Amino acid sequence: MNKKVQSNSDETPYKWFWRALDDYLVKNSLKQTKQRKVIVQEFLAMNPHVDAEQLFERLRKMGYYFGLATVYRTLNLLKDANLVDQLAFSDGRSVFEVNTPDSHHDHLICTHCRKVVEFENEEIEKLQLKVAQHYGFSLESHRLDLFGRCPDCMPV
Amino acid sequence: MNKKVQSNSDETPYKWFWRALDDYLVKNSLKQTKQRKVIVQEFLAMNPHVDAEQLFERLRKMGYYFGLATVYRTLNLLKDANLVDQLAFSDGRSVFEVNTPDSHHDHLICTHCRKVVEFENEEIEKLQLKVAQHYGFSLESHRLDLFGRCPDCMPV
DNA sequence: ATCCATCTTCAAGTGAATTGCAAATAGAGT
DNA sequence: ACTCTATTTGCAATTCACTTGAAGATGGAT
């Protein structure tokens, strides 16, 4: 039940991400462009849950007038590189999140204030793998959302 | 190849569903129309995981030329009545599923053929409750999706 | 049987995301 | 540093799932 801590300090917190991205670009003869660099940089700054349109707006406010298509293409590149995951909602929108090597997509979502808390539980992960194996599935990723009231929104 | 046959007879196993739907319609001054009846009937026959377009095609093949909009509106009606849930995929499509009173929302989803298998795991449920309590959340409901390749879609 | 709010149909509209293409550019080879 | 060219970008057009508007049809309350 240990909460995943991702350093917030100024010292390049996502070295592994940039290195993995660089690897992917080189391996696939893709190019490092200013757009990609800035988009990824701001994407990481917005972590953990990034909406493409919001990222686009953020870039725009910072003075980067890249096309929305470029933002989408960059996010899809990261998805292809297996560095991010896409979470779809039933209203048609979706958010992107960093896919850490030991990726966790477990959320506690407050049904009242919509706060999202991420958690990680080794036992649940193990059981998930067991279930998948039981049905003959390989397990690529997962998503677990628990809905309820957070402490601040508890009814008296 | 034993196809599950859902007869039109009165011994439908979804009595509770029809009753709940009827309640909802009456309570909200909505009407029982032939379209709704047939769409719901075929929706239930396609259970557990129904794609709106597929349902539309099925109806068409059975000689019911209802508009696609009507199919969507009926599914949304069921969603409003809390009788079905909608599962969204990142490619923009989504499927609907019956929301039983003692509903479990645990799925194995094939990332290749989109097949969905439902499962239930008592241990995982217990751990979920534990996690929620640990963070001071009450637990109202949950959704667990495991993504991977099903046996039929395993790469050689 | 009448009345009117709700429904259906069909077409047009929406909005997120993708794609086609010409111009720009990264970066390998020279 | 310069060339060369495959990759990228920007922009507009397009796609795709889904929704909505409007006008005629219909359920069901009276």
Side-chain angles (χ1 to χ4, degrees):
Chain A
M1 240 167 271
N2 30 20
K3 179 142 189 241
K4 175 113 205 176
V5 176
Q6 195 77 45
S7 162
N8 285 334
S9 68
D10 293 341
E11 27 147 328
T12 48
Y14 284 109
K15 245 185 204 161
W16 66 271
F17 191 98
W18 289 103
R19 211 175 291 137
L21 175 56
D22 197 44
D23 269 14
Y24 183 81
L25 293 177
V26 170
K27 273 201 191 104
N28 295 79
S29 317
L30 305 177
K31 301 185 176 180
Q32 299 189 254
T33 65
K34 166 159 201 214
Q35 284 87 338
R36 280 177 181 165
K37 203 176 153 192
V38 173
I39 291 171
V40 170
Q41 174 190 299
E42 296 312 316
F43 166 76
L44 291 175
M46 288 181 81
N47 211 29
H49 300 287
V50 183
D51 176 302
E53 219 90 18
Q54 287 166 3
L55 177 52
F56 173 72
E57 275 312 318
R58 180 192 170 97
L59 290 163
R60 184 146 290 219
K61 274 179 196 133
M62 299 182 79
Y64 299 109
Y65 289 81
F66 306 149
L68 182 56
T70 303
V71 173
Y72 274 109
R73 277 192 276 231
T74 301
L75 289 171
N76 279 329
L77 168 66
L78 296 177
K79 221 169 55 164
D80 292 343
N82 231 340
L83 289 169
V84 313
D85 273 325
Q86 188 177 6
L87 284 202
F89 293 98
S90 55
D91 68 354
R93 302 179 82 131
S94 57
V95 298
F96 296 82
E97 59 183 21
V98 171
N99 184 9
T100 40
D102 51 338
S103 191
H104 294 281
H105 302 286
D106 303 315
H107 307 110
L108 270 160
I109 300 167
C110 180
T111 51
H112 191 249
C113 70
R114 311 217 83 194
K115 179 164 52 192
V116 179
V117 175
E118 292 195 346
F119 68 90
E120 172 186 341
N121 185 293
E122 190 55 42
E123 288 181 85
I124 291 181
E125 312 260 316
K126 273 187 202 142
L127 287 168
Q128 287 173 357
L129 190 57
K130 233 173 102 181
V131 169
Q133 286 171 343
H134 179 259
Y135 287 94
F137 274 62
S138 64
L139 187 52
E140 291 168 2
S141 66
H142 70 267
R143 170 183 178 184
L144 172 57
D145 295 328
L146 302 183
F147 299 95
R149 292 254 181 167
C150 74
D152 300 337
C153 297
M154 275 304 192
V156 266
Chain B
M1 180 95 66
N2 34 20
K3 180 148 183 245
K4 174 125 201 173
V5 175
Q6 190 74 46
S7 75
N8 292 337
S9 75
D10 292 342
E11 42 172 332
T12 159
Y14 284 109
K15 249 184 200 159
W16 67 270
F17 190 100
W18 289 104
R19 212 175 291 137
L21 174 56
D22 197 44
D23 270 14
Y24 183 81
L25 293 177
V26 170
K27 273 199 190 106
N28 296 78
S29 317
L30 305 177
K31 303 185 174 180
Q32 298 189 254
T33 64
K34 160 148 205 226
Q35 284 87 338
R36 282 178 180 165
K37 201 176 154 194
V38 172
I39 291 171
V40 169
Q41 174 189 301
E42 296 312 316
F43 166 77
L44 291 174
M46 286 180 82
N47 211 28
H49 300 287
V50 182
D51 175 303
E53 218 91 18
Q54 286 165 5
L55 176 53
F56 173 73
E57 275 313 318
R58 181 191 169 99
L59 290 163
R60 184 145 290 217
K61 274 180 197 133
M62 298 181 80
Y64 299 110
Y65 289 80
F66 306 149
L68 182 56
T70 303
V71 173
Y72 274 109
R73 276 196 270 238
T74 302
L75 289 172
N76 280 329
L77 168 66
L78 296 177
K79 222 169 56 165
D80 292 342
N82 231 342
L83 289 169
V84 312
D85 274 326
Q86 189 176 4
L87 267 207
F89 293 95
S90 57
D91 68 353
R93 298 168 72 176
S94 58
V95 298
F96 298 81
E97 60 181 19
V98 171
N99 183 10
T100 39
D102 53 337
S103 191
H104 288 280
H105 302 287
D106 302 316
H107 306 104
L108 272 159
I109 301 168
C110 180
T111 52
H112 191 247
C113 71
R114 291 182 157 272
K115 179 163 53 190
V116 180
V117 176
E118 287 192 350
F119 69 89
E120 179 183 337
N121 185 297
E122 190 55 43
E123 287 182 85
I124 290 181
E125 311 258 319
K126 272 187 203 142
L127 287 168
Q128 287 173 358
L129 190 57
K130 232 174 103 182
V131 169
Q133 286 171 344
H134 179 260
Y135 287 95
F137 275 61
S138 65
L139 187 53
E140 292 169 0
S141 67
H142 71 266
R143 151 150 286 146
L144 172 56
D145 296 328
L146 303 182
F147 298 94
R149 293 253 181 167
C150 75
D152 301 337
C153 295
M154 277 301 193
V156 277

